[in-house]
């Protein structure tokens, strides 16, 4: 009986509290949203289950289990986020699957991708206004870039304590793009503007596709070296794809590798999101600021396209500005849908991909600028501590027990 | 309210936002310009590259023909046909 009681003390039920229960419920809600509603399932399933596991209490004097306990497997998985390893690897995969030809064919649409990043910097001011410290404000503002890996990368560098809510806000709002964007797009454009047809894009040669990642990486990284981990990997992935001589590598980067890293990234974010840091008024502010950032980014893109039209002979459809929010390809699909509501013969998808992929580059540049200016990148030594004695002994026993 | 506004000014929030927007635009304008001149640049450099590639292809073709002929010759020798 005493042994059973002793065992009970080691179970999760013994030290369960209200905070843990609430976090487990939130994890279950994420799983429901991902599986039933199909909201960003690739990310929300690992985040949701990670969140449940990360908030199950366990005795402090037992074996190392959590992401904060050196020796635990989850601790080492979490290092990929903490040291900023996973987001660049995701960018490598994105690069290997992205076709930049629509952007190369119509370079002026790149500016729409830049305009949508204004939302990031306006949100930065909003976050400072709500009392956040400047590094935290930068981490929150990057949600407006609508780029999950960039948001995780920047927050892991600048405000790791906010990484959970920032990542969850970024991915949740990315899945809500079809709900957030259309009202703003319709509010800021007339039906006549939404009906504007775009001329067919020119064909892009193989040489242009090969030279583009090389030229682009040189320009961006030379001006903002802090973007190197993200954009360096993005363009490496794209070069693997476009060079046509490394098809095997490109295939691995855009399929197996990105899937593996997505699982690890989502799970690591989930398991490191604990109640004490997540269930705070700050998280609520982050969610409000996050949705404002998305709305502002959409509005800035659309308004800039209208402003741009003042100087253009051949007008562009201002809806394309909304695709500057780099949620690829959701925001481009939204542009297509809203455009076709005004005119069923209007096909904007391929044109919208230009500001869409420019937005990916733009948000990475914005993150690099914030990192460079604020200098918030603390030097983090790899936290690969030796396992605690209990685990070491267990490992020794297992090793010696083998024939 | 004054304190919150102070949080923006003390952190140089407005300057940071303005500089950020400016830099993002500057870099993407440069990228855009670079892409715009790329077709013209390739129209100038392209023929030279094409000539080189064609020569390479011709070389490769000769080499491949020679290799195929050698293989055929050896096969005929071995089979006696």
């Amino acid at each position: 009986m005493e042994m059973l009681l002793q065992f009970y003390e080691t179970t999760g039920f013994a030290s369960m509290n209200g905070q843990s229960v609430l976090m487990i419920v939130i994890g279950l809600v994420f799983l429901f949203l991902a599986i039933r509603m199909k909201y960003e399932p690739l990310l929300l399933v690992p985040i949701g289950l990670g969140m449940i596991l990360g908030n199950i209490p366990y005795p402090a004097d037992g074996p190392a289990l959590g992401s904060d306990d050196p020796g635990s497997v989850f601790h080492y998985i979490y290092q990929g986020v903490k040291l900023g390893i996973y987001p660049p690897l995701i960018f490598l995969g994105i690069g290997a699957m992205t076709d930049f030809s629509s952007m190369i064919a119509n370079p002026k649409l790149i500016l729409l991708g830049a305009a949508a990043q204004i939302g990031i910097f306006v949100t930065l001011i909003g976050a400072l206004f709500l009392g956040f410290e400047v590094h935290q404000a930068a981490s929150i503002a990057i949600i407006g870039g609508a780029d999950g890996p960039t948001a995780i990368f920047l927050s892991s560098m600048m405000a790791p304590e906010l990484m959970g809510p920032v990542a969850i806000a970024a991915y949740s709002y990315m899945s809500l793009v079809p709900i957030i964007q259309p009202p703003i797009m319709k509010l800021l454009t007339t039906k006549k503007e939404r009906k504007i047809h775009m001329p067919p894009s020119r064909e892009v040669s193989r040489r242009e596709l090969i030279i583009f990642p090389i030229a682009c990486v040189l320009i961006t990284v030379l001006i903002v070296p802090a973007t190197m981990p993200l954009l360096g990997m993005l363009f490496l992935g794209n070069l693997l794809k476009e060079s046509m001589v490394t098809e095997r590598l490109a295939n691995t980067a855009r399929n197996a590798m990105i899937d593996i890293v997505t699982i690890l990234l989502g799970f690591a974010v989930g398991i490191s999101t604990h109640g004490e840091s997540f269930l705070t008024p700050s998280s609520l502010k982050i969610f409000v600021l996050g949705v404002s950032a998305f709305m502002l980014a959409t509005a800035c893109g659309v308004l800039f396209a209208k402003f741009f039209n003042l100087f253009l002979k051949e007008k562009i459809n201002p809806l394309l500005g909304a695709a500057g929010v780099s949620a690829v390809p959701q925001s481009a699909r939204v542009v297509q849908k809203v455009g076709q509501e005004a005119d069923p013969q209007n096909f904007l998808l391929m044109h919208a991909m230009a500001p869409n992929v420019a937005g990916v580059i733009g948000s990475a540049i914005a993150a690099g600028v914030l990192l460079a200016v604020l200098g918030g990148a603390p030097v983090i030594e790899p936290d690969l501590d030796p396992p605690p004695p209990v685990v070491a002994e267990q490992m020794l026993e297992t090793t010696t027990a083998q024939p | 309210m004054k304190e919150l506004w102070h949080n923006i000014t003390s952190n140089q929030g407005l300057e940071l936002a303005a500089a950020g927007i400016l830099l993002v635009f500057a870099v993407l304008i440069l990228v855009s310009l670079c892409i715009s001149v790329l077709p013209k640049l390739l129209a100038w450099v392209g023929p030279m590259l094409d000539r080189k590639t064609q020569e390479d292809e011709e070389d490769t073709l000769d080499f491949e023909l020679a290799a195929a002929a050698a293989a055929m010759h050896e096969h005929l020798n071995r089979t006696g046909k």
Side-chain angles (χ1 to χ4, degrees):
Chain A
M1 188 65 189
E2 199 179 312
M3 193 178 272
L4 280 177
L5 279 173
Q6 208 177 339
F7 176 75
Y8 173 76
E9 288 302 315
T10 67
T11 66
F13 295 106
S15 38
M16 185 74 83
N17 57 26
Q19 208 172 51
S20 309
V21 173
L22 194 54
M23 287 303 288
I24 290 170
V25 170
I26 293 172
L28 289 170
V29 170
F30 282 138
L31 288 180
F32 173 78
L33 289 174
I35 297 167
R36 186 83 177 86
M37 315 291 279
K38 296 197 168 47
Y39 284 169
E40 289 286 330
L42 299 183
L43 253 300
L44 285 191
V45 168
I47 288 180
L49 198 72
M51 206 181 246
I52 293 170
L53 292 178
N55 287 282
I56 288 177
Y58 56 89
D61 53 353
L65 295 174
S67 62
D68 297 332
D69 307 332
S72 151
V73 64
F74 298 143
H75 177 73
Y76 298 113
I77 290 176
Y78 175 59
Q79 297 308 306
V81 173
K82 195 177 167 187
L83 302 174
I85 297 167
Y86 298 147
L89 291 178
I90 296 261
F91 261 63
L92 178 73
I94 294 172
M97 63 171 79
T98 303
D99 181 4
F100 284 102
S101 57
S102 56
M103 193 177 101
I104 298 171
N106 209 341
K108 63 175 178 283
L109 295 182
I110 293 175
L111 296 187
L112 302 181
Q117 311 314 316
I118 296 173
I120 293 176
F121 295 100
V122 177
T123 308
L124 175 82
I125 296 171
L128 286 172
F129 188 75
L130 287 182
F132 283 99
E133 188 268 332
V134 70
H135 293 86
Q136 293 181 331
S139 302
I140 297 164
I142 204 72
I143 297 172
D147 198 321
T150 306
I152 292 171
F153 181 75
L154 195 69
S155 56
S156 70
M157 295 284 164
M158 293 190 135
E161 69 282 5
L162 297 184
M163 199 182 59
V166 166
I168 289 162
Y171 282 112
S172 309
Y173 294 139
M174 273 165 71
S175 66
L176 293 176
V177 157
I179 298 166
I180 297 172
Q181 285 197 312
I184 302 163
M185 292 156 77
K186 287 177 188 169
L187 186 75
L188 297 175
T189 53
T190 63
K191 197 166 184 184
K192 194 182 163 196
E193 285 173 326
R194 293 200 289 275
K195 281 183 174 177
I196 296 176
H197 281 229
M198 297 292 293
S201 302
R202 72 173 173 87
E203 207 165 304
V204 176
S205 69
R206 171 69 37 204
R207 271 193 192 133
E208 282 177 276
L209 288 169
I210 294 171
I211 293 171
F212 169 75
I214 301 167
C216 210
V217 79
L218 279 172
I219 296 170
T220 52
V221 173
L222 275 172
I223 300 175
V224 192
T227 61
M228 202 187 294
L230 296 177
L231 290 183
M233 295 301 263
L234 178 83
F235 292 121
L236 169 63
N238 192 246
L239 192 59
L240 292 178
K241 171 182 180 276
E242 301 298 355
S243 64
M244 307 277 275
V245 290
T246 49
E247 194 45 46
R248 240 176 59 197
L249 301 186
N251 214 16
T252 305
R254 67 172 159 254
N255 294 307
M257 198 207 67
I258 200 168
D259 287 347
I260 292 167
V261 181
T262 301
I263 296 168
L264 295 175
L265 177 76
F267 188 72
V269 167
I271 204 153
S272 61
T273 306
H274 302 303
E276 57 269 26
S277 59
F278 190 77
L279 299 172
T280 60
S282 294
S283 297
L284 201 64
K285 286 184 195 170
I286 291 169
F287 284 112
V288 173
L289 284 164
V291 76
S292 318
F294 258 67
M295 291 162 81
L296 276 166
T298 307
C300 289
V302 174
L303 290 174
F304 184 82
K306 289 174 74 140
F307 172 72
F308 206 19
N309 271 343
L310 297 175
F311 308 96
L312 293 175
K313 270 188 201 164
E314 204 171 355
K315 308 288 180 208
I316 55 173
N317 190 316
L319 291 178
L320 295 181
V325 173
S326 62
V328 181
Q330 294 99 316
S331 53
R333 281 194 197 135
V334 169
V335 169
Q336 161 80 3
K337 192 169 166 275
V338 178
Q340 286 206 321
E341 278 172 21
D343 177 1
Q345 295 304 311
N346 203 359
F347 297 96
L348 296 171
L349 186 65
M350 282 318 289
H351 301 284
M353 284 310 290
N356 212 188
V357 292
V360 176
I361 302 172
S363 57
I365 295 170
V369 168
L370 289 169
L371 257 177
V373 175
L374 294 173
V379 180
I380 307 167
E381 292 296 327
D383 195 7
L384 303 172
D385 303 334
V390 179
V391 180
E393 277 166 23
Q394 282 172 356
M395 283 165 69
L396 196 67
E397 277 168 22
T398 323
T399 322
T400 47
Q402 282 168 357
Chain B
M1 192 74 170
K2 208 174 172 182
E3 262 178 41
L4 294 172
W5 183 248
H6 177 72
N7 197 32
I8 296 174
T9 49
S10 65
N11 284 302
Q12 295 180 310
L14 294 174
E15 290 91 330
L16 182 58
I21 293 168
L22 195 75
L23 279 165
V24 170
F25 266 95
V27 177
L28 286 179
I29 286 171
L30 264 175
V31 170
S32 174
L33 287 174
C34 172
I35 296 173
S36 305
V37 298
L38 202 55
K40 284 167 200 154
L41 192 74
L42 282 174
W44 183 60
V45 183
M48 282 187 265
L49 288 171
D50 284 337
R51 205 182 316 144
K52 194 87 183 153
T53 317
Q54 213 171 350
E55 278 167 17
D56 288 349
E57 272 171 12
E58 276 165 13
D59 288 351
T60 315
L61 206 62
D62 290 347
F63 175 78
E64 278 172 0
L65 273 174
M72 177 81 86
H73 184 72
E74 198 172 323
H75 175 76
L76 290 174
N77 276 347
R78 211 180 298 158
T79 54
K81 289 178 185 172

